[in-house]
Amino acid sequence: FHTSITKASNEKYGPVSETFLIAKGQTTMVDMSKYETTNPNRRYFSHLTFTWAMISDIDIDSEIIRWAGEVRNDIWGALMMLRLRKYPGKISYLPA
């Protein structure tokens, strides 16, 4: 998330630049989503789209090779294609 903000602000990625943006009061628009479960006490808010299965695995699991930069998702995606997982479950859309 912070990488997107520093990139949109034309700043160099890193803790010093991010701290500088906070100190300047730099703000940016962010897309937010709200997800509810069948339990009325369980709500989730996300600044990323809700993904399930391979896409979210690639996003989360590729953190261990963050040093690879933006290409990490391509690398990890290729590895995931070679070792496919099964994802049982059901996602439903309920109109507001």
Side-chain angles (χ1 to χ4, degrees), residues 13-31:
Y13 171 73
V16 174
S17 297
E18 292 156 9
T19 304
F20 180 64
L21 289 173
I22 292 169
K24 286 192 330 186
Q26 182 82 25
T27 61
T28 186
M29 296 294 290
V30 177
D31 289 329

Side-chain angles (χ1 to χ4, degrees), residues 8-66:
S9 302
N10 295 320
E11 294 285 344
K12 186 176 178 181
Y13 171 73
V16 174
S17 297
E18 292 156 9
T19 304
F20 180 64
L21 289 173
I22 292 169
K24 286 192 330 186
Q26 182 82 25
T27 61
T28 186
M29 296 294 290
V30 177
D31 289 329
M32 294 295 291
S33 302
K34 176 182 162 186
Y35 304 96
E36 295 181 0
T37 66
T38 54
N39 178 345
N41 298 321
R42 301 286 307 233
R43 290 181 296 176
Y44 300 94
F45 293 91
S46 173
H47 64 273
L48 299 172
T49 57
F50 184 79
T51 59
W52 179 51
M54 182 179 269
I55 300 298
S56 58
D57 280 350
I58 292 169
D59 182 41
I60 295 167
D61 295 348
S62 69
E63 288 292 322
I64 64 172
I65 61 167
R66 181 168 277 284

Side-chain angles (χ1 to χ4, degrees), residues 1 67 75:
F1 180 66
W67 52 264
I75 294 169

Side-chain angles (χ1 to χ4, degrees), residues 78-95:
L79 291 172
M80 292 295 295
M81 293 292 286
L82 295 174
R83 54 183 181 121
L84 290 176
R85 297 179 186 167
K86 292 185 180 182
Y87 304 93
K90 179 180 176 183
I91 295 179
S92 300
Y93 171 74
L94 302 174

